[in-house]
Amino acid sequence: MKWTCILALLLLPAQIFGQMWLSREDTYFFAATGVDIRNATIGGTVNDASYDGTFSLGYRNVNFSILAYYETFKGIRYESLGINPGFLLRPGKKLIPAADLSLSIIRRPWKTYPSLAANTRIEYHFDRFFVYCRGEYRWRTDYDFFQVSVYGGIAIKFGFN
């Protein structure tokens, strides 16, 4: 319930100001899934190669972006969820750079921790979907260090005007 209220409050300005922005074709919702590429292929600093996946729902209105995500990594008993407000450069183009800030929590079996991350992303857009590569610089408050991760994934667009 708490996350629903936060998401609604963050989406409200986008809806109000979205009517004033440029193109309706650059306004859409999306659902995405991705995987940590290093963890999936060679493993990480504390784990062998295994699945570390993300699932997200988001909203775009020209340059504004917001998404809510969930990450699960059973190999190290790690979960993370959060909200990422962000900014898109070159909306409406095929190749779109983006950046956002992740306001999140990390859940481990022994405790839940607040966390922050900075993300940069490059997306290649098709009519109804896009593929992406995302770099993340996360403050791992469960271990008190910064970690760099690279994710790849796909997103489906829906709710076009």
Side-chain angles (χ1 to χ4, degrees):
M1 179 67 183
K2 184 172 159 183
W3 286 104
T4 305
C5 292
I6 291 170
L7 182 60
L9 288 174
L10 289 172
L11 287 176
L12 186 60
Q15 184 62 31
I16 292 169
F17 295 111
Q19 303 306 315
M20 299 184 308
W21 286 338
L22 301 173
S23 171
R24 295 181 141 221
E25 68 188 30
D26 293 329
T27 301
Y28 55 89
F29 292 91
F30 64 93
T33 187
V35 64
D36 184 313
I37 296 168
R38 182 183 67 178
N39 281 332
T41 56
I42 63 171
T45 55
V46 296
N47 59 280
D48 292 330
S50 62
Y51 174 77
D52 175 4
T54 62
F55 306 93
S56 57
L57 294 173
Y59 173 75
R60 298 272 174 85
N61 191 329
V62 186
N63 294 101
F64 174 77
S65 175
I66 188 158
L67 65 90
Y69 80 91
Y70 171 73
E71 178 180 4
T72 180
F73 190 4
K74 292 183 181 182
I76 61 169
R77 298 180 350 184
Y78 171 96
E79 292 178 301
S80 177
L81 59 105
I83 294 177
N84 298 17
F87 187 79
L88 299 162
L89 300 173
R90 300 172 25 99
K93 304 292 184 188
K94 291 280 187 194
L95 191 64
I96 299 177
D100 61 49
L101 181 66
S102 178
L103 311 168
S104 57
I105 60 169
I106 294 172
R107 195 171 99 182
R108 301 302 297 260
W110 55 88
K111 193 173 177 183
T112 300
Y113 304 85
S115 185
L116 289 172
N119 296 291
T120 57
R121 189 171 43 258
I122 191 79
E123 303 171 350
Y124 190 83
H125 285 251
F126 299 90
D127 287 336
R128 296 288 183 181
F129 71 98
F130 60 91
V131 293
Y132 68 87
C133 183
R134 174 174 61 93
E136 176 184 81
Y137 188 65
R138 176 171 296 283
W139 179 22
R140 286 288 304 272
T141 51
D142 54 336
Y143 289 125
D144 199 27
F145 65 81
F146 285 91
Q147 182 172 352
V148 175
S149 298
V150 177
Y151 296 83
I154 187 167
I156 306 299
K157 302 176 190 181
F158 58 96
F160 284 87
N161 289 327

